[in-house]
Amino acid sequence: MPEAIHVPAADGHALRGFAWRHAGPPARARPVVIVNSATSVACRYYERFGNALHEQGCDVLTYDYRGIGGSRHGPLRRLSAGWLDWGVHDFEGVLRYAAANFPGQPIYVVGHSIGGFVIGLAPSAYLVERIFTMGAQFAYWRDYARHARARMFVRWHVAMPLIARALGYVPAKRLGWMEDTPKGVALDWARMGPRFEASLRGADPTLASRFGQVRAPILALGVEDDPFGTVPAIDRLLGYYTRSERHHLRLAPAAISEAGIGHFAFFHQRFRASLWPLAMDWLLRQRLPAPLPGPLTHYPAQDGILAQEPGRPHPGTCLSPRDRNSP
């Protein structure tokens, strides 16, 4: 069972989470894996996945961003927090915690949805040595799946900011959406454009260059029935991580004999045998599945090149599901 932990964010804000630690002194060959949650999803959602990582020999850290789950302290109306805070301060604090409490161990990250974006915002992101993401993007509405775009635009870019401004936060639990959400996060989401650095409140235009410090190889998984994690959405984010070797793997639910997976179900226990090995093999061995379960696009690292216009990666190499590929 994991132990409850208290982690100071980089600006001192108190965060809460959980740690899975192996007994005995730290082993330099044993990775510590940080799980970055999706927007307003409590870290307990990833507990079974954390258990599985621990069983595979990893130490594991999960945590709640400020204002979410265990890191919510007092009324959300009083909290000024946006996506920048979750990356620049919260993920940064967890990175520092991992480096201090698991000295010498390689640091890997699993990023779900916005959790793959906040990695690049942290000043210490250069410490990360391997990354797996699921449906990772930053919610630019034109990248949503075409069949769901109008409905999603109304919910996330019209209704949500109106509620946030009226109440001072979004009571998302009562609406059946997710965890209650800080006003700043809701407004960041609502105003997001094709370039995050031109859209987020208080973002320095040079912030995009911080993504260039990340050298960790990335496996970005997208599933075909995820209305957030479309090909344009995932590629837009990958376009910022130009100094990383990036692999974008697409998976249709039918490839694993499932009717649907969507944006959230990857982390459900029922996919332990069919989907979780994709993440485990990448994190533990930096190995892609063979044969591939869907199309893969490979984007090589580009030293000295920052984010492409507008969020598009350098043209990659596309491989078919029949190709056997290992980095």
Side-chain angles (χ1 to χ4, degrees):
M1 291 294 292
E3 61 177 290
I5 58 172
H6 296 254
V7 179
D11 62 352
H13 193 96
L15 306 176
R16 292 179 180 173
F18 297 91
W20 289 254
R21 304 174 194 265
H22 286 271
R28 291 186 179 275
R30 183 170 66 235
V32 54
V33 181
I34 301 170
V35 179
N36 282 353
S37 306
T39 294
S40 301
V41 174
C43 70
R44 282 194 174 275
Y45 183 75
Y46 306 93
E47 183 171 343
R48 291 184 177 87
F49 187 72
N51 287 336
L53 285 167
H54 187 249
E55 290 169 5
Q56 290 292 316
C58 303
D59 293 322
V60 185
L61 297 172
T62 64
Y63 68 103
D64 286 318
Y65 306 121
R66 66 187 63 198
I68 307 299
S71 300
R72 176 176 177 173
H73 312 298
L76 281 185
R77 295 181 184 88
R78 300 177 184 172
L79 179 66
S80 175
W83 273 338
L84 284 180
D85 296 295
W86 286 2
V88 174
H89 301 305
D90 295 356
F91 178 57
E92 172 68 14
V94 176
L95 270 178
R96 295 179 187 180
Y97 180 93
N101 288 272
F102 301 87
Q105 294 179 230
I107 299 173
Y108 301 163
V109 178
V110 172
H112 182 202
S113 194
I114 204 67
F117 167 64
V118 300
I119 296 169
L121 297 175
S124 298
Y126 62 87
L127 295 172
V128 179
E129 296 187 29
R130 202 167 294 166
I131 297 170
F132 173 84
T133 66
M134 165 57 209
Q137 34 65 52
F138 52 78
Y140 173 44
W141 71 271
R142 289 186 181 275
D143 290 338
Y144 296 156
R146 184 169 298 179
H147 71 275
R149 189 177 298 155
R151 171 176 51 83
M152 293 172 71
F153 182 85
V154 170
R155 172 180 286 193
W156 306 121
H157 300 266
V158 178
M160 184 171 64
L162 287 174
I163 294 169
R165 289 190 175 98
L167 300 180
Y169 75 108
V170 180
K173 274 190 175 181
R174 278 181 277 168
L175 297 171
W177 293 355
M178 49 195 177
E179 293 288 309
D180 291 347
T181 304
K183 176 182 176 181
V185 170
L187 297 182
D188 282 345
W189 186 340
R191 64 164 58 95
M192 184 57 70
R195 300 290 294 182
F196 84 83
E197 67 274 24
S199 306
L200 290 183
R201 299 169 304 115
D204 185 325
T206 66
L207 189 61
S209 64
R210 186 172 290 174
F211 284 68
Q213 70 180 318
V214 179
R215 302 297 184 99
I218 300 171
L219 174 58
L221 177 64
V223 296
E224 293 298 340
D225 66 332
D226 177 1
F228 291 100
T230 62
V231 171
I234 291 176
D235 280 351
R236 190 177 301 278
L237 176 58
L238 289 177
Y240 284 90
Y241 290 106
T242 52
R243 293 186 179 179
S244 293
E245 183 181 20
R246 296 147 288 164
H247 301 80
H248 181 174
L249 176 63
R250 302 298 298 176
L251 178 72
I256 58 169
S257 302
E258 289 285 342
I261 300 170
H263 191 58
F264 293 98
F266 176 92
F267 296 96
H268 289 185
Q269 178 76 13
R270 72 178 187 270
F271 293 121
R272 182 186 184 104
S274 57
L275 291 180
W276 291 5
L278 296 174
M280 305 297 177
D281 283 350
W282 179 258
L283 292 170
L284 297 177
R285 290 169 281 276
Q286 200 177 323
R287 186 171 68 193
L288 296 167
L292 292 168
L296 177 84
T297 305
H298 172 241
Y299 304 109
Q302 303 164 64
D303 282 344
I305 301 177
L306 300 179
Q308 305 292 315
E309 186 282 326
R312 298 289 185 181
H314 187 77
T317 302
C318 297
L319 301 173
S320 76
R322 291 188 297 273
D323 288 310
R324 298 180 65 88
N325 181 289
S326 60

